[in-house]
Amino acid sequence: MKKKIFSLVLVFTGVSIIHSCTKLKERVLDESSVVGLTEQQIAEGTIAPVYALLPTLFQHTNLFALQEISTDEAILPYRGGTDWGDNGIYLSLHRHETLSSDPNVTNTWNQITLSISRSVTAITALATNNYVNAKLFLAEARAMRAYYNMLALDLFGIAFQKEDPFATSTILRGDDAINYIKSELLAVEPLLDNTTGPGRITKAGVWGLLAKLHLNSAVWRDRYAATFTFKAEDMDKVIEYCDKIISSNQFQLATEYFSIFDNNNHSNKELIFAIDQRPDLNGHNRMAYFSLSGDQFPLPAVPNANGTDGPAITPDFYQSWATAYAPVDPATADPRFFKKNLIIPVDSCVLGTEFKIDRGIMRGQQYGLIGGRNIPFTTCGTGKYKIGKLYNVTRGKPNLPVNFTEFIDFTVAGSDYSTGYRVEKYEFSSATTDGRNRGEHDIIILRFADIYLMRAEAKLRKNNDAAGALADVNTVRAARTARTAPPPLLTMSLDLLFRERGFELYWEHQRRTDMIRFGKYEGTWTEKTNADKNKRLFPIPQNAINGASNIPGYLVQNPGY
Amino acid sequence: MRKLNQRSFFFGVLPVLLTFFFSVVTIVVQGQQRQISGTVKDAKGSPVALVTVAVKGGGASTITADDGSFTISAKDGDVLLFSAVSFESTEVRVTSASSSYPVVLNASSVTLTDVVVVGYGTQNKKDVTGAVKSLKAASFNKGIITTPQQLLQGKVSGVNVTSVSGEPGVALGITIRGPGGVRTSNTPLFVVDGIPLDNNATGRGDPLNFLNPQDIESMDVLKDASATAIYGSRGANGVVIITTKKGKAGASQLSFSTNLGISTVARKLDVFTAEEFRREVPKTGATIDDKGASTDWQDEIFRTAYTQNYNLTLSGGADKLTYYASFGMQKQQGIIKENDLDRYSGRFNASQKFWDDRLTIDVTLGVTTTKNDRPFYSTLLGQAISNNPTYPARDAAGNPVFVAGINNPLFSLDGEREMSTINRLVGSISSSLRIIKGLIYKLNFGIDNSNGTNDIQSKPNVTPFREGRLETFYNYNRNRLVENYVTYTWVKNPHNVSALAGHSYQRIFVQGRNNSINRFTPGGVEPQYNPGTGQLLDLTTNRPGGYAFINELQSFFGRVTYQYNSKYLATINFRADGSSKFGENNKYGYFPSFSLGWKISEEEFMRNSVFSNLKLRAGWGITGNQEIPEKQTQALFQSSTAGNVSYPLGNGPYPAGTIYARLANPDLQWETSKQVDVGLDFGLLRGALTGTIDYFRKVTNDILLQVPPTDPIQPAPTAWTNVEDMTITNHGVELELDYKRNGKNFGYNIGGNITYMKNKVENSPYTVIASGNASGPAGLTSATLNGYINGEPIGTFYLNQWLGIGSNGLSVYYDKDKNGSTYTDNDRIAAGTALPKLIYSFYGGVTVKNFDFNMNMNGVSGNKIYDLTANAAFTKVNLSRSNNTTAAAVAEPNESISNAAPVSTRYLKNGSYLRMNNMTLGYNFNPSKLGISRYVSSLRVFVTGQNLFVITDYDGYDPEVNIDRNIGNVFSYGIDYLSYPHARSFIFGLNLSF
């Protein structure tokens, strides 16, 4: 009996241990660490992620906020005491009091550093790839790494040099960073194509970036200088690269200014380098939805798609337009300021297919579709919609008209839902289901008008060639002929050029860089009085500083934070 | 009910109450006829005091004096009944022959109440050297119980049970001796009939909802490392061992119980009535938007809810076979309309002996199906508390009306719903074989299989517009266990040794999938019945998702206990745990514990002391927490056409982008806790008064965090790592007291427990580890409420300090860094913690003849709650906009109607409370008196009041709240945002045994 029992125990134990003994090797079921791809799939699969974070990086709360809300072009108060409070980060940003814990700074940083990492991965993988386009992709990855580093240098004052994905990056500042970025762009320039734009980086794109790098070198070299020293050889390079782009005859200034920002702008000849947004892939509509009122509904077919009462332009920025053209209204004087799309017929009835909101800088009482969100739009006949005065219904203030005022600041009165003139530069996506997603338009990184303006600036800065600069500026102004083109300027100076860059490039993620370069960033506007030069750079996110704390001295916080 | 001042309550009234409870000694003397006297002694010849002496069948009763003597009046032929705690009752017949009776009481043998389950075995309570508390069915909380953790709320010191909200079946947070981690699950390990459960839920609600509380025999809470080290890498947060009921040899029994619960909302938020609203809005200087009606929007969404519970059990057995079978059904309505939770459960437990009782086979099997329907209740609550009370909810015909400018919750009630079904089967077979005397081999095989489906449906509608959407989540969870172990017991006076050694393998497979479809036709079939009627399906809005993983755990464990002369006790536990989640460089963790016990009361010099029991315990051990995310030790190179990975390269199809989604961390491991525990168990007054006092200190290190890498240029912005030097320390003192007096016609018991606990984070390399995401209400995006910093506890609220309203009508905040800007991250202060300093409870019961009465109160103090609901809704600016608020919104007369309300200490509130958890009055009929004893062996009726009142300063729905607002897996604590209100219930019940 005992023997039997013992053998039974052995059998039991044996069976269950064989059944259960394990090396504890973790099996991954829901993720495929990809194998068996073709060379083409590998090549395309590694270059695509290098670009893929651009739409997020350029979002309203990321690069847009950092480059625009910190300037005189945009201000975002705590709307009505209920919206865009966000722990005060937009107020701090405008006042130049941003902290290293700011989530928007952290997110922007993360998109840039992640994109640099993806470029490094792609460069490593493409080096040994046999696909016919692998060499071109490799050149693009290097160019994009240089571009992302340029953004890091502009925003945070540092660039990262990294070749081996498993080694620790070298952190570069000042001249070292500029030279590194320059050498990378120069190395890949001959290898790039000129037919793959504007959604991907091309030869012309690299020329534009080189022009930008040389133009800003004075700032990036000596960040906290009282006055920047623009070297003649840098300005020569700016002119040289701009000339190359202009003489390539690949690009044209658009006759209709707002067509540059239309949903179908991908084929617009003014675009040199842009983010290729597709509604069914990566597109977002944040540029178009951000500034509109919560009670503006641009799409008759989508009652859920409205605005959000985000930022407006500051009265200071508006006054730069008003005084430039006084006594003429800027909307009349300059087609870049405004484009009227919504002409209301006598019976206030519009075919849904013909309903289109205005573009540009929106002022005063707004009109549009009645209803939205929970309420179906008021109709008037087959396919027709009633158009009327808009009120802040979605804000629970059905008696407060959506009447945009010039006045906006951080006081209670200045923070109400309808304060500030708004910007609808990019066209509202026709494919969106909620106003935020499924954007269609490409978001511009570099366009032809900027090339003329950069060349003009280089001419001015090199030897005060006001005539040459004036010609370039007026070329851009004269090109907008679809409606009445703005009158040519008669004189040129750095101040006028700065103003002109605002007129041409407002809300295009450029203002902060421009203000610093033109020495305006320590100025005073609306709620901003801080003149601390340290604020020319954003803080390195506290998270990143914490993460790097195990190597003392590796990642040093910018002064003043 | 009127609030007591907190301070005076805790320092004044409470001690008085406790003193009252612990000091009452009642003597009931009656009767006459003839004086009978005697002395009661124990088997050793010592006199026994406080023995109840009663005349059987009614009449006089008394208790013995210190010298064991008693006097009682009785007549010849009467039977005297002697009963006392820890002794077997004895009967003596009064005869005319004698007036003086010497009585000897035998110590009662070890019954179930003296056994604790310690993991891979049981021990006599008196021999346990760890901090362990066993709770039997009789002392569970009463009421509508959906989740087993509710049974022990307030019953065990050191254990904090906090429901997320008052929703039926909602997940219950339970922490034993404080949270040891920042991100990890702080839930203890649950072991049901020997199967350690996996904490992954397969749908809505608490994972333990599958257990019918009526099937639970006991819950044993293992608190310190010397008790939990046998569960190694899962022991750091304590272990709760749940044992289901088994049959007993002897008479077969059929029992039926049923009860009906009636629940209403315990407290509504005190928002303005229409009348008050008409008065208050104009006072803000705003124009009121008055639609003329008078609506209590909260009443529109709340209801009187009925809960029915039926339970049928069969149990019994013969010499070789015992069985227990049950069927249970609970149909519970939530106090918010359209919210129902139905549970059907079945259980079959059997035990059969073979081979002259050398082999025992135990089988347990439980099957449960849970169906939970819930409206989008936070949407409903948000609307109900903020909606303008002058707007009508219904038209004259009683139908919901749509008025622009307001969201009528009745539309959401009608159209939006979440429907979840979970089917779960948990079963085990274990065989126990006695090989030679003292040597037992045990094989245990268990399976826990669970399927969940969760439909989130939005019905299409014209006005208000809803597009219509159905999203379905499928979850599957399979947990398999094989264990082999031997125990050997060797006794040779004065030595008593028992040893255990074993191997365990557990494999947990978890899978989830989801899909969705949009745009349905109003008036068509409900989307859940035919998703194919949807018209919009594209990869941007409807991309299906899924995940799956396998966790494997292999362990070797052992235990040695040694007793010398039944006075000196020692226990050593050891477990080696290997987990597939751990990195290559850390595959196995080793978890030892040592503990000693000294039964002082067994010593000669204590022979005549007042202590019937006095035992000193001390233990030390290391345990782990392996609730770390899967796959973190392996790199991931992933390919996808998602928007943030793919990018158009031309006009062709979008290429699948391939990225490193994750870096490998081959060093990743469990969090480690070292715990010291010193405890004293005592019994006084012959065991009538028992108690335990424990001091503990638990230090956790290797804290697991998701952190940014050193070099910012990495494929992923964060990676999981163990922060070696960082520690989280919990230390505290626990005290439990219990006093019992049993008599024939009258008995009572009172008791309570109190825990003082402190938690502290130290050596964190991070400035602030943020949690408690305030996003949701407009304007609070990116604001955080909790922040864990060095020197402060987990659950700390790290906020800007609100100082009041300035002369300009705007809020004034503390400028900590004195830089002139008063509302920045650098001005935040540690403003208190959500973790209570004190957790306490007390209970009492009285039995008078056939009546019995029991009550339980529990409370916490020293904690804070962030009232995000008030922050979002109850502001003057909202009132001026004709949104409803409470009176708190206008408490500051100078406040501007446009003063913004960012997160701040203004909405941080005292979270202390004392709750009358439950109170029961029952009556046991005497079946023989009713003449039905042939058919009915017992008949009981009872009424229970649950959550009768709460004493608190907190003015939200309920201070017991913890809405999950984690950030990056860092746990949030103590946040109330549109939480489901708690119910007050009355339950009427009937128990019947045949």
Side-chain angles (χ1 to χ4, degrees), chain A residues 1-2 5-6 8-9 12-13 16-17 19-22 24-34 44-45 47-49 51-53 78 80-87 89 97 99 101 103 109-110 113-114 116-118 121 137 160 162 167-169 199-200 274-276 278-282 303-304 373-376 395-397 412 417 438 542-543 546-548 550-551 554-555, chain B residues 355 358 402 404 407 433 435-436 441 443 462-465 480 482 484 503 505 507 509 538 540 547-550 552-554 578-580 584 587-588 630-631 633-639 641 643-650 654-659 662 708-716 765-767 778-783 810 821 823-826 877 881 898 900-903:
Chain A
M1 185 73 173
K2 239 169 218 172
I5 291 171
F6 267 122
L8 192 80
V9 170
F12 264 142
T13 318
S16 59
I17 287 185
H19 184 66
S20 60
C21 234
T22 168
L24 299 170
K25 187 88 196 152
E26 187 171 34
R27 271 174 62 204
V28 175
L29 302 172
D30 55 346
E31 299 168 339
S32 49
S33 267
V34 208
E44 293 185 344
I47 190 64
Y51 290 106
L53 294 171
Y78 196 161
T82 64
D83 283 59
W84 294 106
D86 295 48
N87 227 17
I89 54 175
E97 289 171 356
L99 299 175
S101 55
W109 165 275
N110 285 346
T113 52
L114 196 53
I116 295 175
S117 168
R118 287 179 174 191
T121 307
F137 289 165
F160 299 93
K162 183 165 187 162
T168 301
S169 315
R200 288 157 57 190
I275 302 163
D276 190 350
R278 309 286 175 96
D280 58 346
L281 178 67
N282 58 0
N304 273 342
R373 297 294 268 202
N374 288 318
I375 313 161
R395 304 294 182 189
K397 279 193 164 178
V412 167
Y417 298 112
R438 298 170 68 94
Q542 192 57 45
N543 276 341
N546 288 343
N550 56 342
I551 306 184
Y554 176 65
L555 193 58
Chain B
W355 298 347
R358 292 183 76 133
F402 177 79
N407 289 309
L433 180 65
I435 298 167
I436 51 169
Y441 161 73
L443 167 66
V462 183
T463 311
F465 175 75
R480 214 176 62 197
V482 183
N484 286 283
H503 168 262
Y505 169 77
R507 186 176 185 275
F509 171 74
D538 72 44
T540 327
Y547 60 88
F549 56 84
I550 296 173
E552 286 182 295
L553 194 66
Q554 174 161 266
S579 166
S580 57
E584 279 306 314
K587 264 297 163 214
Y588 278 87
E630 297 76 29
K631 300 173 292 201
T633 66
Q634 300 188 47
L636 172 62
F637 206 53
Q638 197 177 35
S639 199
T641 52
N644 60 352
V645 179
S646 179
Y647 188 80
L649 296 177
Y654 308 131
T658 308
I659 53 160
R662 184 178 56 232
T710 307
D711 178 2
I713 307 303
Q714 294 290 350
Y766 305 99
T767 335
L780 302 180
T781 310
S782 89
L810 303 181
S821 285
Y823 190 90
T824 73
D825 277 1
N826 293 344
V877 47
R881 242 165 248 161
S898 294
V903 303

Side-chain angles (χ1 to χ4, degrees), chain A residues 482-496:
Chain A
R483 289 169 289 136
T484 314
L489 297 180
L490 304 173
T491 58
M492 188 41 62
S493 67
L494 281 171
D495 277 355
L496 284 172

Side-chain angles (χ1 to χ4, degrees), chain A residues 38-115:
Chain A
T38 64
E39 289 290 286
Q40 179 181 354
Q41 282 170 326
I42 294 170
E44 293 185 344
T46 48
I47 190 64
V50 172
Y51 290 106
L53 294 171
L54 282 170
T56 316
L57 172 60
F58 273 65
Q59 259 184 13
H60 58 322
T61 54
N62 293 340
L63 190 63
F64 178 91
L66 268 55
Q67 287 285 70
E68 297 291 343
I69 295 176
S70 61
T71 74
D72 64 345
E73 275 185 3
I75 178 169
L76 180 48
Y78 196 161
R79 292 280 184 193
T82 64
D83 283 59
W84 294 106
D86 295 48
N87 227 17
I89 54 175
Y90 294 103
L91 311 187
S92 298
L93 187 55
H94 195 71
R95 287 174 166 147
H96 290 193
E97 289 171 356
T98 291
L99 299 175
S100 60
S101 55
D102 186 292
N104 291 344
V105 171
T106 306
N107 289 338
T108 308
W109 165 275
N110 285 346
Q111 304 305 322
I112 291 172
T113 52
L114 196 53
S115 293

Side-chain angles (χ1 to χ4, degrees), chain A residues 29-30 43 75 143 241 311 376 389 419 421-422 453 466 469 472 478 543 557:
Chain A
L29 302 172
D30 55 346
I75 178 169
Y241 290 118
K389 259 190 180 182
T419 61
Y421 291 158
R422 307 299 171 84
L453 296 180
D472 278 341
N543 276 341
Q557 184 57 281

Side-chain angles (χ1 to χ4, degrees), chain A residues 248-293:
Chain A
S248 74
N249 286 325
Q250 265 189 285
F251 306 100
Q252 271 171 23
L253 293 166
T255 55
E256 171 51 62
Y257 177 73
F258 286 105
S259 71
I260 304 166
F261 313 100
D262 275 353
N263 281 333
N264 60 0
N265 65 349
H266 188 68
S267 56
N268 193 300
K269 298 283 263 181
E270 179 145 348
L271 274 57
I272 299 171
F273 183 29
I275 302 163
D276 190 350
Q277 289 211 117
R278 309 286 175 96
D280 58 346
L281 178 67
N282 58 0
H284 67 76
N285 193 41
R286 294 328 218 287
M287 291 298 109
Y289 118 111
F290 192 25
S291 185
L292 287 182
S293 159

Side-chain angles (χ1 to χ4, degrees), chain B residues 192-448:
Chain B
V192 176
D193 289 329
I195 305 173
L197 299 184
D198 170 46
N199 285 333
N200 286 289
T202 46
R204 273 281 160 200
D206 193 279
L208 289 188
N209 283 350
F210 77 96
L211 275 172
N212 179 353
Q214 306 226 35
D215 285 339
I216 298 176
E217 174 78 37
S218 68
M219 293 174 92
D220 293 86
V221 182
L222 279 48
K223 296 195 278 194
D224 72 337
S226 50
T228 65
I230 196 78
Y231 288 105
S233 67
R234 292 179 289 182
N237 291 321
V239 179
V240 178
I241 301 179
I242 299 176
T243 309
T244 59
K245 286 178 179 161
K246 309 286 187 296
K248 290 179 189 65
S252 305
Q253 195 174 47
L254 169 65
S255 307
F256 173 73
S257 70
T258 176
N259 59 61
L260 174 71
I262 301 170
S263 310
T264 51
V265 59
R267 171 159 72 173
K268 291 198 292 180
L269 290 192
D270 195 12
V271 294
F272 291 127
T273 62
E275 192 188 336
E276 292 163 344
F277 186 77
R278 288 188 177 99
R279 197 173 62 228
E280 293 295 335
V281 176
K283 277 194 206 164
T284 67
T287 317
I288 188 168
D289 174 18
D290 193 340
K291 289 281 184 288
S294 176
T295 304
D296 185 331
W297 288 102
Q298 292 187 88
D299 285 348
E300 293 296 332
I301 64 164
F302 294 140
R303 66 175 173 187
T304 300
Y306 297 94
T307 300
Q308 307 166 55
N309 187 302
Y310 305 94
N311 224 59
L312 190 67
T313 59
L314 293 158
S315 74
D319 188 24
K320 303 281 183 196
L321 170 72
T322 60
Y323 65 92
Y324 171 89
S326 82
F327 175 73
M329 174 168 94
Q330 176 161 297
K331 289 174 78 69
Q332 181 175 5
Q333 288 185 335
I335 51 170
I336 292 184
K337 290 173 182 171
E338 305 289 338
N339 176 210
D340 297 283
L341 178 66
D342 297 347
R343 173 176 58 206
Y344 304 91
S345 61
R347 172 160 294 278
F348 182 72
N349 293 347
S351 176
Q352 170 108 46
K353 291 186 172 128
F354 299 97
W355 298 347
D356 304 328
D357 299 352
R358 292 183 76 133
L359 175 67
T360 308
I361 309 271
D362 286 300
V363 182
T364 69
L365 178 67
V367 286
T368 308
T369 178
T370 318
K371 188 169 175 349
N372 190 6
D373 281 1
R374 54 208 293 273
F376 290 4
Y377 73 78
S378 38
T379 308
L380 296 175
L381 289 166
Q383 294 167 354
I385 60 173
S386 295
N387 274 2
N388 183 328
T390 70
Y391 274 59
R394 297 167 189 277
D395 60 18
N399 296 317
V401 288
F402 177 79
V403 185
I406 205 166
N407 289 309
N408 187 336
L410 296 172
F411 288 107
S412 174
L413 261 180
D414 173 60
E416 297 175 312
R417 191 171 307 182
E418 189 173 343
M419 297 154 289
S420 150
T421 309
I422 301 171
N423 293 311
R424 189 160 180 175
L425 180 152
V426 182
S428 67
I429 298 183
S430 66
S431 61
S432 157
L433 180 65
R434 182 160 50 84
I435 298 167
I436 51 169
K437 182 168 180 270
L439 180 64
I440 293 168
Y441 161 73
K442 213 164 173 184
L443 167 66
N444 189 17
F445 177 82
I447 184 137
D448 171 4

